[in-house]
């Protein structure tokens, strides 16, 4: 028996969308779901109690950052991530592959693993599949991700192929090194924007029989239209009885489009990052609360939202908080953005159950002004 299992509850009649339920040691999660990102064992500006209040069922933490600070040994000593950060629900840890990829000239990729210098102090480190498994097992999340090589966009076919093949070899090494029975290990599909490489990657990983599969290497600069094409070619190849996790995607339009194409799990720093810069999601699209036009606007951030922020505070007040540098402003906008996405996912699940997800998409975009195919989802 695997630590995490997936129950397929319904498949859409007119799209690739599915309703499912993820069973984990720390509770069940209805899918499709969005996972708030708690990079350093905290979702920025949010308390665990607030995350529960807005309906968050599962969160994500980052292996690379927690390895550097405070160190996985200390987290293990504290009883694991759940105890360390006082979060009772499920947790997923990524493998650090994307963060290492983001280091650019600070890292060197070879078959053994990735040699890199810390972005904090320049110290030298080596991430191998075995080392990453050691770290993730010490952190103790319900779901750990295999170590992979993420390639940039655009990327030449030959290198995308090399990286995909290396990811498959690393996935096998991760499986051999992973032995924590109360933690599930998911593989990650790679292959860049090349459909044939994605197909080979899926075949390699499915042969290893992971309990779930991430779809990596998307939302790294490619147009949304290309990402959707890759998803349409990839998700049908994955086992129907295993969860599919589109990594690093979290804009409202991409959540809808991803669900339509059979994705079960999403994560992204986008909602909290833009919130800290004064941008919020609303029924009609993004709103930059720092703009002068809201100085005397005593209405909520979003007239259609029932979150704590919108029930109790006005645009004028939140704009004032940002202008004077008060932390409460960041907290209120972060709370609202995460609530907005979690409510959207709830509506998506309801629409799949009623077989009207395409109608939800049409209705949503009739008022939400941001569906631009040439932009990325991040």
């Amino acid at each position: 028996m695997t630590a995490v299992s997936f129950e397929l509850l319904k498949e859409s009649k007119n799209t690739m969308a599915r309703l499912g339920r993820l069973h984990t040691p720390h509770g069940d999660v209805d899918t499709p779901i969005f996972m708030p990102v708690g990079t350093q064992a905290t979702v920025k500006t949010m308390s665990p109690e607030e995350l529960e209040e807005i309906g968050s069922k599962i969160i994500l933490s980052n292996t690379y950052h927690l390895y550097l600070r405070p160190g996985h040994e200390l987290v293990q000593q504290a009883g694991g991530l759940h105890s360390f950060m006082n979060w009772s629900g499920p947790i997923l840890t990524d493998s650090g592959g994307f963060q290492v990829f983001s280091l650019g000239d600070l890292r060197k990729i070879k078959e053994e693993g990735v040699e890199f210098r810390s972005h904090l102090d320049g110290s030298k480190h080596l991430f191998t599949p075995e080392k990453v498994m050691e770290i993730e097992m010490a952190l103790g999340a319900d779901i750990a991700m295999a170590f992979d090589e993420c390639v940039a966009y655009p990327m030449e076919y030959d290198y995308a192929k090399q990286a995909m093949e290396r990811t498959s070899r690393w996935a096998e090494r991760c499986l051999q090194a992973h032995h924590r029975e109360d933690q599930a290990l998911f593989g990650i599909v790679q292959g860049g924007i090349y459909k044939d490489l994605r197909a080979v990657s899926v075949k390699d990983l499915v042969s290893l029989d992971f309990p779930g599969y991430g779809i990596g290497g998307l939302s790294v600069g490619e147009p949304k239209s290309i990402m959707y094409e890759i998803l349409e070619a990839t998700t049908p190849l994955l086992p129907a009885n295993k969860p599919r996790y589109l990594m690093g995607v979290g804009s409202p339009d991409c959540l809808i489009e991803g669900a339509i194409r059979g994705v079960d799990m999403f994560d992204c720093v986008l909602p909290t990052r833009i919130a800290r810069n004064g941008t919020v999601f609303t029924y009609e699209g993004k709103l930059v609360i720092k703009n002068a036009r809201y100085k005397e606007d005593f209405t909520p951030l979003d007239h259609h939202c029932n979150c704590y922020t919108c029930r109790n505070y006005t645009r004028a007040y939140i704009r004032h908080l940002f202008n004077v540098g008060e932390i409460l402003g960041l907290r209120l906008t972060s709370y609202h953005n995460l609530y907005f996405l979690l409510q959207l996912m709830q509506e998506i699940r309801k629409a799949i159950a009623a077989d009207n997800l395409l109608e939800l998409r049409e209705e949503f975009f009739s008022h939400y002004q941001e569906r631009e195919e040439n932009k990325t989802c991040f």
Side-chain angles (χ1 to χ4, degrees), residues 21-229:
R21 185 163 294 138
L22 198 63
H23 301 284
T24 83
H26 287 85
D28 294 345
V29 180
D30 289 333
T31 63
I33 191 67
F34 175 78
M35 302 181 286
V37 176
T39 301
Q40 303 188 91
T42 177
V43 177
K44 285 183 168 50
T45 80
M46 298 284 289
S47 71
E49 293 76 18
E50 288 169 329
L51 290 170
E52 289 182 19
E53 188 175 275
I54 64 174
S56 178
K57 298 298 183 183
I58 177 171
I59 62 175
L60 179 145
S61 285
N62 183 269
T63 295
Y64 166 82
H65 288 283
L66 292 175
Y67 161 76
L68 293 177
R69 292 185 305 189
H72 56 290
E73 296 97 340
L74 187 144
V75 175
Q76 185 176 39
Q77 185 180 346
L81 262 183
H82 292 89
S83 176
F84 188 55
M85 65 187 295
N86 190 34
W87 173 254
S88 60
I91 301 175
L92 180 150
T93 47
D94 61 17
S95 66
F98 178 78
Q99 284 67 38
V100 170
F101 148 77
S102 302
L103 290 173
D105 293 339
L106 293 176
R107 53 102 168 110
K108 182 179 180 181
I109 300 171
K110 46 190 178 182
E111 187 61 28
E112 180 186 8
V114 181
E115 191 177 88
F116 65 93
R117 292 192 176 275
S118 165
H119 71 287
L120 298 172
D121 59 11
S123 57
K124 186 181 290 187
H125 304 269
L126 176 65
F127 266 14
T128 64
E130 293 78 14
K131 181 65 177 180
V132 170
M133 291 301 96
E134 173 195 327
I135 298 167
E136 292 196 82
M137 286 189 290
L139 295 175
D142 301 80
I143 300 172
M145 302 303 296
F147 193 46
D148 63 323
E149 181 180 353
C150 179
V151 297
Y153 173 85
M155 178 57 65
E156 294 181 358
Y157 182 91
D158 287 346
Y159 190 84
K161 183 174 185 289
Q162 291 177 32
M164 178 274 294
E165 292 171 343
R166 183 179 292 118
T167 292
S168 294
R169 293 192 295 271
W170 285 356
E172 190 166 2
R173 287 168 59 187
C174 285
L175 268 179
Q176 292 171 352
H178 186 269
H179 53 77
R180 183 162 180 159
E181 294 183 356
D182 62 346
Q183 181 183 71
L185 176 65
F186 285 14
I188 302 178
V189 176
Q190 288 291 351
I193 61 169
Y194 304 103
K195 295 177 184 178
D196 61 326
L197 297 184
R198 291 279 173 176
V200 173
S201 182
V202 169
K203 183 178 180 181
D204 289 347
L205 296 177
V206 169
S207 72
L208 297 174
D209 196 27
F210 286 97
Y213 299 91
I215 303 172
L218 293 176
S219 193
V220 291
E222 79 283 358
K224 292 178 182 180
S225 56
I226 291 180
M227 184 183 78
Y228 298 153
E229 287 181 20

Side-chain angles (χ1 to χ4, degrees), residues 275 277-280 287-301 309 313-326 328-330 332-333:
N277 291 318
T279 299
V280 294
L287 180 153
V288 182
I289 196 61
K290 294 186 288 187
N291 288 349
R293 62 187 293 188
Y294 303 117
K295 181 178 181 180
E296 299 177 2
D297 188 340
F298 302 109
T299 64
L301 291 176
T309 299
Y313 299 98
T314 67
R315 296 175 177 184
Y317 179 65
I318 296 172
R319 178 182 181 274
H320 157 71
L321 294 176
F322 271 90
N323 281 349
V324 297
E326 285 289 346
L328 180 59
L330 284 64
L332 293 176
T333 52

